[in-house]
Amino acid sequence: MLDIAEELRGWFEEGRDFAVATVVAVSGSAPRAPGAALAVSNDGTAIGSVSGGCVEGAVYDLCVQALRDGRTVRERFGYDDEDAFAVGLTCGGVIEVLVTPVRADAPVFRAGVAAAVRGEPTALARVARGPAELLGRALLVRPDGSYEGGFGGAPDLARTAAAEARAMLDTGRTGTVEVAENGSRCPGGVTLFVESRMPPPRMIVFGAVDFATALVRAGKFLGYHVTVCDARPVFATRVRFPDADELVVDWPHRYLRRTATDGRTVLCVLTHDMKFDVPLLETALRLPVAFVGAMGSRRTHEDRDRRLREAGLTSRELSRLRSPIGLDLGARTPEETALSIAAEIVAARRGGTGAPLTGSGTPIHHDANGREEGGSPSRSAA
């Protein structure tokens, strides 16, 4: 439900009760990932989506029913070869949806939504499978391990759930974890669904060039907090980069050394000027970031590679550099080039190959390790 936190905050402020359906498990070629949500308020208004349209009507009805009877249910939707008219996913995948009624004064859900809207690291852990009296109960877990909410008379289970949720929050993961009803970490008995909400990952674009203008827009579209850095104040201006979250006038390597980065940060070097590139990449390739790419011709790349080796970078460090940056799309314009760079960033993040799907046999959807997601299709109530 943190997927639609901004809209839900308004409902809480207006005092609306609602029911929220959250995707808690996915297999096969499903259209939405775990955490995707659809909510229905007590006046029938709907927000969000769990399937991109395939089963929205059926999920809407489940939400309305949950508002009426106050019961949390878990439902499975998939393609049914034996019944062509059954509600299911036309793409052939399977999703499992947890439908939970939420009162406007529910403190845990209200606090979780508010924290997500403020951009605070937050994990919401809910019982997605287990005893009926626990289904849908929730904990709000913070980075320091503190939590609010509970599972009735099961304090050991709550402590274990908080510890598991905190571990998932540390890495920004959303998914399920199995624990025992007595709170031990032995699988079985209770399935927890943990939604993690972290601040947006950073994209830092070095070089206030025309290509950077288009890349900033692409980065924002992908959900990054985008910073543009250039040592030349005449180019790093708000007029040229109205969509950037931050504009920094500084030498790129000096700024990179003092700014915060993490394992989700993307660094795009578009300056293709050796006095900027070499000291910048010497720093960048030694940081534990997600992606380092540099623009330039193949000749520029060879010259840059030689200079970086002379500066002391190892072959292993240099192997992290994606240069020339971007996938081969035949791009010419700044917008096309930004698209090729964004496509490579997504492929690197999700484990994609960048190859055309037509006739390739490559997976359409990958799990967190780059493997194809799979599973058996069906629909059943839980």
Side-chain angles (χ1 to χ4, degrees):
M1 64 184 291
L2 301 184
D3 183 56
I4 51 175
E6 187 69 50
E7 296 90 340
L8 291 180
R9 178 180 64 170
W11 285 3
F12 276 119
E13 292 174 348
E14 294 166 8
R16 297 198 203 184
D17 295 341
F18 60 90
V20 60
T22 307
V23 177
V24 296
V26 166
S27 60
S29 185
R32 301 295 308 277
L38 180 148
V40 179
S41 73
N42 52 10
D43 67 356
T45 302
I47 56 174
S49 171
V50 295
S51 71
C54 303
V55 299
E56 306 298 284
V59 174
Y60 181 95
D61 291 341
L62 287 171
C63 288
V64 170
Q65 184 62 41
L67 278 168
R68 287 175 182 160
D69 60 27
R71 292 180 58 246
T72 296
V73 298
R74 178 168 170 151
E75 186 85 11
R76 193 169 188 257
F77 294 92
Y79 185 79
D80 190 341
D81 289 321
E82 297 180 359
D83 184 358
F85 296 99
V87 176
L89 302 179
T90 57
C91 55
V94 176
I95 62 172
E96 295 189 37
V97 177
L98 185 70
V99 182
T100 305
V102 179
R103 294 184 58 84
D105 58 358
V108 173
F109 290 112
R110 188 181 186 112
V113 164
V117 171
R118 290 193 299 266
E120 298 172 0
T122 304
L124 188 64
R126 283 183 280 169
V127 176
R129 190 187 299 277
E133 65 272 16
L134 293 180
L135 200 63
R137 286 182 175 265
L139 290 178
L140 176 64
V141 182
R142 298 182 176 84
D144 62 0
S146 63
Y147 62 92
E148 59 184 284
F151 301 138
D156 291 339
L157 176 59
R159 282 191 288 270
T160 298
E164 295 289 346
R166 181 187 183 188
M168 295 181 72
L169 178 59
D170 285 343
T171 56
R173 290 183 296 130
T174 289
T176 57
V177 60
E178 293 191 10
V179 298
E181 286 184 55
N182 63 6
S184 70
R185 287 179 167 80
C186 300
V190 174
T191 299
L192 301 171
F193 177 69
V194 180
E195 290 181 81
S196 293
R197 179 56 59 95
M198 296 284 283
R202 296 192 69 189
M203 173 186 284
I204 308 178
V205 180
F206 297 98
V209 298
D210 288 345
F211 292 99
T213 304
L215 182 57
V216 168
R217 293 197 296 269
K220 292 295 294 179
F221 178 74
L222 292 176
Y224 285 93
H225 178 95
V226 183
T227 300
V228 176
C229 176
D230 197 299
R232 303 164 298 178
V234 69
F235 294 114
T237 66
R238 183 56 65 184
V239 172
R240 287 169 55 82
F241 297 96
D243 299 310
D245 294 293
E246 293 179 282
L247 287 173
V248 176
V249 178
D250 199 352
W251 278 77
H253 70 282
R254 188 164 59 192
Y255 172 68
L256 184 57
R257 287 172 183 167
R258 65 177 171 82
T259 194
T261 59
D262 60 25
R264 302 181 300 154
T265 302
V266 168
L267 306 178
C268 299
V269 180
L270 309 187
T271 48
H272 50 86
D273 183 330
M274 293 305 163
K275 69 176 177 291
F276 295 122
D277 288 8
V278 172
L280 171 59
L281 289 172
E282 187 179 353
T283 299
L285 293 172
R286 288 170 173 158
L287 292 174
V289 295
F291 181 98
V292 181
M295 179 177 279
S297 67
R298 298 196 184 280
R299 178 179 294 180
T300 298
H301 168 71
E302 292 172 0
D303 182 36
R304 189 162 48 207
D305 182 84
R306 177 182 59 79
R307 291 171 184 260
L308 289 169
R309 290 182 186 276
E310 290 174 353
L313 268 74
T314 66
S315 295
R316 183 175 182 179
E317 290 168 335
L318 287 169
S319 69
R320 300 182 58 216
L321 176 60
R322 294 174 179 268
S323 173
I325 193 173
L327 299 183
D328 180 11
L329 304 183
R332 295 288 184 182
T333 66
E335 290 75 18
E336 291 172 345
T337 302
L339 178 61
S340 78
I341 295 171
E344 185 177 24
I345 290 169
V346 172
R349 180 180 179 183
R350 301 299 187 189
T353 65
L357 294 173
T358 303
S360 67
T362 57
I364 296 176
H365 300 291
H366 300 260
D367 67 11
N369 298 310
R371 297 186 297 264
E372 183 173 13
E373 295 174 345
S376 58
S378 66
R379 176 194 179 205
S380 60

